[in-house]
Amino acid sequence: MSILASSFHEGPLLDKYNNLLISHERYRAMFDNIPLAYMSMNENAAIIDFNNAFSELTGYSCEEVYMKPFSFFLYDKKDIEYHVNVTFPRFKRNGFARNQPWKLKHKSGREIYVIVHGNVRYDTDGRFIQTHCLIVDVTEQRLAREECQRAESKAQLILDVISERVTFHDREHHVLWANKNARSNAAPEC
């Protein structure tokens, strides 16, 4: 056995190695179990690291995610082109991405609306190493907002056909909305 090998199996070097291993295992357990999706891409936008939340969000197994291009998970062809030609090159160049909305596709085919925040890690010479991205699922909020907009549109249609004047005002009494009857009977401004 060489002197280096025997010194590694006992003493301070082995303790440092074991402490590093324990630290890495704790980090990985925390990383894999946080409820916020994480993924990292290489210089070609292929996914090289991710956590369980990303797999759960997209419905794909770990084996199906690893080394897939991020564009594989995008829902629309125009989003794929935009990612490949605009956002990823800009992300690599600027070193960060904030509040980037994307529509992803779940393995089942359903749409997932997300917001991505990321940073790029560079080496000491400024060369790209990888990205680190957090992904926030905003699907429920988006669906709720769309439902509110549909309900509001229906209410406006109903209010527009009644014969009474209907207006909505803010706290300073500025008109926010008026039905057709109120708009047609509005006094001309002087």
Side-chain angles (χ1 to χ4, degrees):
M1 181 182 288
S2 73
I3 294 172
L4 181 60
S6 66
S7 68
F8 183 74
H9 290 291
E10 52 189 66
L13 189 56
L14 180 59
D15 291 341
K16 286 181 182 181
Y17 173 77
N18 286 334
N19 288 339
L20 183 61
L21 186 60
I22 290 167
S23 175
H24 177 72
E25 287 171 355
R26 273 193 227 135
Y27 162 76
R28 196 68 209 191
M30 180 271 312
F31 172 77
D32 280 338
N33 293 298
I34 60 171
L36 190 59
Y38 165 85
M39 62 101 180
S40 176
M41 295 177 282
N42 67 13
E43 63 186 0
N44 299 315
I47 297 176
I48 56 174
D49 197 10
F50 53 95
N51 66 357
N52 292 336
F54 184 82
S55 289
E56 291 169 10
L57 175 69
T58 61
Y60 289 91
S61 70
C62 295
E63 295 78 20
E64 293 172 309
V65 172
Y66 185 67
M67 291 307 291
K68 284 275 195 279
F70 179 68
S71 59
F72 172 83
F73 300 95
L74 294 174
Y75 197 84
D76 294 323
K77 185 177 179 179
K78 65 180 173 60
D79 283 347
I80 293 169
E81 292 171 6
Y82 188 66
H83 165 70
V84 170
N85 297 321
V86 179
T87 61
F88 194 69
R90 182 175 56 212
F91 184 20
K92 285 175 30 176
R93 185 177 54 253
N94 294 346
F96 64 92
R98 298 292 182 269
N99 297 309
Q100 178 64 52
W102 289 112
K103 183 167 56 168
L104 303 182
K105 62 180 171 189
H106 187 272
K107 188 174 183 177
S108 68
R110 72 177 166 84
E111 299 172 356
I112 308 164
Y113 295 93
V114 300
I115 301 294
V116 176
H117 307 278
N119 289 328
V120 173
R121 186 165 64 105
Y122 302 101
D123 67 14
T124 55
D125 294 325
R127 289 185 297 258
F128 179 93
I129 296 175
Q130 71 188 89
T131 68
H132 296 284
C133 302
L134 292 177
I135 300 144
V136 181
D137 183 358
V138 295
T139 305
E140 293 302 317
Q141 294 92 321
R142 182 178 175 111
L143 295 175
R145 184 175 61 237
E146 289 173 356
E147 185 58 36
C148 285
Q149 289 170 340
R150 281 191 291 276
E152 194 174 287
S153 293
K154 287 178 186 177
Q156 287 179 0
L157 287 172
I158 293 167
L159 292 172
D160 260 348
V161 296
I162 64 174
S163 60
E164 299 296 321
R165 292 178 58 172
V166 179
T167 58
F168 292 104
H169 302 266
D170 64 14
R171 291 180 184 202
E172 288 79 37
H173 302 288
H174 296 108
V175 175
L176 297 173
W177 183 85
N179 71 350
K180 284 183 184 178
N181 194 20
R183 288 189 307 265
S184 64
N185 291 333
E189 293 189 27
C190 298

